[in-house]
Amino acid sequence: LGLGEPHDAAAAAEAEAVARAGGHVVVLGGSRRATALVADVCAASRPVDATADCVAEEGPAATLIFPEATPLGARLPKALGRRLARRLEKRGASVLALNQVRHI
């Protein structure tokens, strides 16, 4: 996703549709937009009537991979970044800090 590019909304909608269909979405980067996308994907994967945070029985709906120690690591204090990571995990995401993708 770019910074406000017109196709961002379409890419986010496609990621959410994948999650609703039971698929898994991988998001690279620990930026605000990446973190928000993972949260939206996890929310889309939950049943409509779910009111509590939950993790899908078949595994996480999304994985967030980033090179910093915490999501938004360059912008948040570490304690707050760790809290954000735990919240994402509670909502159904797998959070992989200190990782980089080298080959696809």
Side-chain angles (χ1 to χ4, degrees), residues 18-24 42 45-47 54-62 92:
V18 167
R20 276 193 297 278
H24 185 88
C42 288
S45 72
R46 289 191 301 232
C54 61
V55 177
E57 291 179 13
E58 56 278 343

Side-chain angles (χ1 to χ4, degrees), residues 55-91:
V55 177
E57 291 179 13
E58 56 278 343
T63 299
L64 181 63
I65 302 173
F66 51 95
E68 296 86 12
T70 62
L72 297 166
R75 300 199 181 268
L76 295 179
K78 284 195 188 229
L80 191 54
R82 285 190 297 268
R83 186 174 173 188
L84 175 59
R86 284 192 304 271
R87 178 171 269 181
L88 289 170
E89 289 169 341
K90 185 177 178 185
R91 293 186 178 189

Side-chain angles (χ1 to χ4, degrees), residues 24-59:
H24 185 88
V25 175
V26 176
V27 178
L28 304 178
S31 69
R32 179 188 57 80
R33 293 177 71 82
T35 303
L37 178 59
V38 166
D40 290 345
V41 166
C42 288
S45 72
R46 289 191 301 232
V48 176
D49 60 351
T51 56
D53 295 336
C54 61
V55 177
E57 291 179 13
E58 56 278 343

